[in-house]
Amino acid sequence: RIKCNDDRLKQVPFIIMSDGHEGPFIAGDGSGAPDYFLKRPIRINLLLDCIATLLRHQVEASWKKLTPQAGRALRSTADQFLDIAKAIANNTPLDRKALNASCNPLVDCVRDHQHKHLLMGLRNHHNYTYTHSMRVAVFMAVFANAYNVSKDEMTLLSTGGFLHDVGKMPIRQSLLNKTEPLSDQDWVVIRGHANQSKGIVDAIEGVNETISTIAAQHHERLDGSGYPHG
């Protein structure tokens, strides 16, 4: 009650767990409180989804300060990344046309020399795999643009960058965020993501071979010291 009536706290999102959804202070009642109400018993996945959504909204609200073109590109790819996560969780193939549609605004930004706005908008996003994938996609497009390739080829390369790490998405977050040295078994799991990425990409109907190659070989090295094939 204090929180909803205090202008300093009103916009701080709360997750409230209760036995019901009724009461004087609920989401959408005009009090200005962007709260989530979860009815007991609580499913841990639902709680984590709420936390991720609230964190995402805070960062994405700052995208309004960027150029309209950069904001559209970030929102498009962020929405697509959520769809990718759902498809992988449900073991369904990714949508090639939707992927192209989400990467096209990114390519337009790079062609208009707005890539710095894209990178700026990614700074505080909570999803490491999304931000890393986006940075790679942007740098791929910048690299392609420097060689004056066609827009279609730029989209192809940036899509490959966007998807190169999708094999990490089924890996548990505690391992991806681990700060102490990885064990031998941890490395086996982590290094397996390249093959996982290729498998997910290859399941896309009509996928271009270039995207598959990027996913499969992004950890290989010219001296043979990379993985998975050395």
Side-chain angles (χ1 to χ4, degrees), residues 167-223:
K168 281 186 178 176
M169 295 177 78
I171 298 175
R172 66 185 190 276
Q173 288 296 312
S174 59
L175 177 54
L176 293 175
N177 297 330
K178 194 172 181 179
T179 54
E180 58 266 27
L182 299 181
S183 67
D184 290 343
Q185 185 55 41
D186 288 340
W187 275 115
V188 170
V189 175
I190 290 294
R191 286 177 172 162
H193 84 272
N195 281 330
Q196 289 265 28
S197 293
K198 184 179 187 305
I200 292 168
V201 168
D202 284 347
I204 302 173
E205 185 178 356
V207 69
N208 189 288
E209 187 178 352
T210 298
I211 298 175
S212 177
T213 301
I214 292 170
Q217 298 186 15
H218 71 275
H219 278 289
E220 299 288 3
R221 296 184 178 179
L222 292 175
D223 64 2

Side-chain angles (χ1 to χ4, degrees), residues 1 12 36 50 74 99 107 124 131 134 145 159 176 189 205 215 217:
R1 186 179 298 270
V12 177
Y36 276 72
C50 283
L74 289 166
L99 286 165
V107 169
N124 297 314
T131 56
M134 271 294 287
N145 197 44
T159 303
L176 293 175
V189 175
E205 185 178 356
Q217 298 186 15

Side-chain angles (χ1 to χ4, degrees), residues 70-92:
R72 281 194 300 272
L74 289 166
R75 284 190 295 273
S76 174
T77 52
D79 289 343
Q80 181 59 33
F81 210 78
L82 289 177
D83 290 341
I84 291 171
K86 291 175 185 176
I88 291 173
N90 296 327
N91 199 28
T92 55

